[in-house]
Amino acid sequence: MQDHYIGSLDIGGTKIAAVVASEQGPLARVTAPTPKEGDRRALPLKGAELLQMACSQAGIDPGLVRSVGVASCGPFVHEEGLIALSSPNICGAGRNAPDLPNDWRTVPLEQVLRERYAEVAIENDCVAALAGERAFGAVQDEPNCVYVTWSTGVGFGLCVDGHLLRGKNGNAGHAGHMLMSETDQALCGCGNRGDLEGLISGRNVANRLNMPAAELFNAARDGRADAREAAETAARRFGRALYNLAATLDTQRFVIGGSVWVHHGDWLAPLVRAEIEQRLPALTAGVTISSSGLGGMVTDVGALSLVLPQTWISHWRTTSPWEKLKT
């Protein structure tokens, strides 16, 4: 019997990462900047190229990779029944943005990948991350949970009664675009003003004080008054958004990743918890928040988990083979 291999793509606004894996675990990982020029097929073709490069690095025949899991930034639309990207960070049509030198309205992601692979599973990156956390991370087999990333953007993956929520176009979980303020003019990359991402993303919080996000949150940790106020206000708004989801989904656990939380969750967490715990106990009693169990590998592992054979799960849980990708 031929060896069985799977692949994954993590597609973001700045980079694409490709991984190939066997039953024993991930074998190779390669990355490249996300293409933003050429025709609409340029991005998925680059993903396929990176998967071939990963196979070469691992010393395996690319033809033996027949299943690919994709974790991608969104939102998605459907074109002839197949998933296409319509991300404002990638598609330049109508945006007049110098960093998006293309006229793409959509990217035919699933169409191009299905020309090369027998099985293609595509999810929003936070949905994929939640799948990874439920398989191998902080909420293993938890039926009611939410994955949240708080970074340059804000995104969510939702699971209710053991079912990952996807929605009509696969965009369930775009709660970063829930409107939080009618008066705040904070501008989100999607064009909304006053939505959650516009109010609390690392980039947007930092823009208010005209300094890099890492510098602002570090200054806040060190006690600089204006930075501290900005960071604490963002944390309270983040907590209110989590309360809104707890009230809507009757969820049990929030697992949080992303650069803001990874580096500053230790001192921001009490503010976030307070916004949940001080409200309607019937909905919030017992609701917990914790950090991602997979850390920086959450999206790679999540994408792999979308096509991972069930028979591999036990071995991966025992050995945590994704850890070797860190080196």
Side-chain angles (χ1 to χ4, degrees):
M1 179 178 178
Q2 285 186 316
D3 290 331
H4 181 194
Y5 301 99
I6 62 174
S8 72
L9 293 173
D10 172 13
I11 299 174
T14 57
K15 73 171 177 65
I16 303 177
V19 176
V20 292
S22 70
E23 183 174 3
Q24 299 309 308
L27 303 172
R29 182 178 188 268
V30 295
T31 65
T34 302
K36 296 179 182 176
E37 297 182 85
D39 67 27
R40 294 193 314 136
R41 295 169 58 90
L43 189 156
L45 287 175
K46 186 65 175 182
E49 176 189 335
L50 292 177
L51 285 166
Q52 288 192 319
M53 292 172 62
C55 288
S56 177
Q57 194 175 106
I60 63 176
D61 178 0
L64 296 178
V65 176
R66 299 187 180 89
S67 302
V68 176
V70 182
S72 176
C73 60
F76 303 145
V77 296
H78 277 100
E79 295 181 340
E80 298 181 359
L82 300 176
I83 292 173
L85 298 189
S86 184
S87 170
N89 295 321
I90 294 174
C91 299
R95 292 185 55 78
N96 194 28
D99 60 332
L100 293 175
N102 65 65
D103 61 356
W104 309 341
R105 292 194 179 278
T106 60
V107 172
L109 181 60
E110 186 174 2
Q111 175 190 330
V112 175
L113 292 176
R114 284 196 178 278
E115 294 169 1
R116 291 159 174 76
Y117 303 101
E119 179 187 6
V120 178
I122 301 173
E123 299 286 2
N124 174 266
D125 47 10
C126 287
V127 175
L130 181 57
E133 289 288 341
R134 293 188 72 234
F136 305 110
V139 285
Q140 286 187 28
D141 300 321
E142 169 61 53
N144 295 290
C145 53
V146 174
Y147 175 83
V148 194
T149 183
W150 185 8
S151 186
T152 53
V154 181
F156 298 78
L158 314 173
C159 182
V160 177
D161 295 337
H163 300 288
L164 293 177
L165 302 188
R166 295 178 173 86
K168 64 184 187 301
N169 287 322
N171 294 321
H174 273 72
H177 302 296
M178 69 170 79
L179 295 176
M180 301 284 287
S181 172
E182 294 182 351
T183 58
D184 199 298
Q185 291 298 300
L187 179 64
C188 178
C190 74
N192 283 339
R193 291 188 182 274
D195 71 8
L196 180 65
E197 185 169 313
L199 291 167
I200 76 163
S201 74
R203 177 188 293 123
N204 288 327
V205 172
N207 284 344
R208 296 187 172 207
L209 295 185
N210 194 30
M211 57 197 302
E215 183 179 327
L216 180 142
F217 280 95
N218 285 333
R221 180 192 286 274
D222 293 340
R224 176 174 152 177
D226 55 351
R228 188 84 179 191
E229 180 182 3
E232 290 185 349
T233 297
R236 284 191 288 269
R237 284 170 164 164
F238 183 57
R240 289 169 201 162
L242 298 191
Y243 166 77
N244 288 341
L245 286 173
T248 302
L249 302 176
D250 197 23
T251 197
Q252 180 69 43
R253 297 186 63 185
F254 291 98
V255 56
I256 309 174
S259 59
V260 172
W261 190 260
V262 167
H263 297 296
H264 301 284
D266 56 336
W267 64 274
L268 293 175
L271 295 170
V272 175
R273 287 194 180 94
E275 292 295 330
I276 301 172
E277 293 170 354
Q278 69 187 4
R279 295 182 167 85
L280 192 53
L283 299 178
T284 60
V287 173
T288 63
I289 65 173
S290 61
S291 296
S292 166
L294 296 172
M297 303 308 302
V298 64
T299 314
D300 294 295
V301 176
L304 288 168
S305 72
L306 300 178
V307 292
L308 194 78
Q310 289 292 313
T311 55
W312 294 11
I313 292 177
S314 177
H315 176 71
W316 281 39
R317 283 182 172 178
T318 302
T319 61
S320 303
W322 53 86
E323 292 290 334
K324 62 187 176 185
L325 288 180
K326 294 180 179 179
T327 59

